[in-house]
Amino acid sequence: MSASEIDRTLVRLAHQIIEKNNGTDRLALVGIKRRGIPLADRLAKIIQRIENKPVPTGVLDITLYRDDLSTVDVKPVVQKSELGCPVEDMNVILCDDVLYTGRTTRAALDALFDHGRPRRVQLLVLIDRGRRELPVEAAFVGRTVQTTAREIIEVKLQEIDGQEKVLLVEREV
């Protein structure tokens, strides 16, 4: 995907969020650290332009909720989760760049529920690459790309990477 394709996809997803949630009342966008954060921020800006109402955004760090924590690092660095608003009785959209095994989403749900009990949680991903290990499904998908076990999706966002694109690359053996 090019930068313009990412932009068009986010506009489409913003419209779908508004439609599926009957507007923006009690809506919050929460970005899963790292690339879910700029996606949530961008979507909130687009939704605000469409609806003329701000949508709260938040940041969710799932480091301590990962089921592979012992393989990540001896001393993982945990950032503070800033949800931006109470999640109690809110319609929360969890935003992430790529949905693959479903394990990140499971960890994000655990982390989110430690902050309160949302009315509803929906998952939004820029890319769904399939090959799930857990029963997780996104309510909002930018693009579905079927991959093999040797392929990976690289999402590059301006805010983090200084460039804007989505690549399908083959993993080195």
Side-chain angles (χ1 to χ4, degrees), residues 118-151:
R119 174 184 296 168
R120 177 167 67 170
V121 179
Q122 299 166 48
L123 177 62
L124 177 143
V125 295
L126 184 61
I127 306 291
D128 181 347
R129 63 170 285 191
R131 306 186 65 81
R132 223 66 86 238
E133 294 175 3
L134 298 175
V136 172
E137 181 180 350
F140 306 100
V141 176
R143 187 173 287 178
T144 301
V145 179
Q146 292 303 317
T147 61
T148 66
R150 293 188 54 183
E151 295 172 322

Side-chain angles (χ1 to χ4, degrees), residues 129 147-154 167-171:
R129 63 170 285 191
T147 61
T148 66
R150 293 188 54 183
E151 295 172 322
I152 58 172
I153 301 285
E154 286 186 7
L167 302 169
L168 174 66
V169 295
E170 194 156 321
R171 195 182 318 219

Side-chain angles (χ1 to χ4, degrees), residues 24 37 96 103 123 157 170:
T24 59
I37 298 167
D96 203 5
R103 292 180 183 278
L123 177 62
L157 298 177
E170 194 156 321

Side-chain angles (χ1 to χ4, degrees), residues 3 55 71 112-113 115-116 149 165 172:
V55 176
T71 65
L112 180 67
F113 276 84
H115 291 274
K165 58 187 169 185
E172 306 225 357

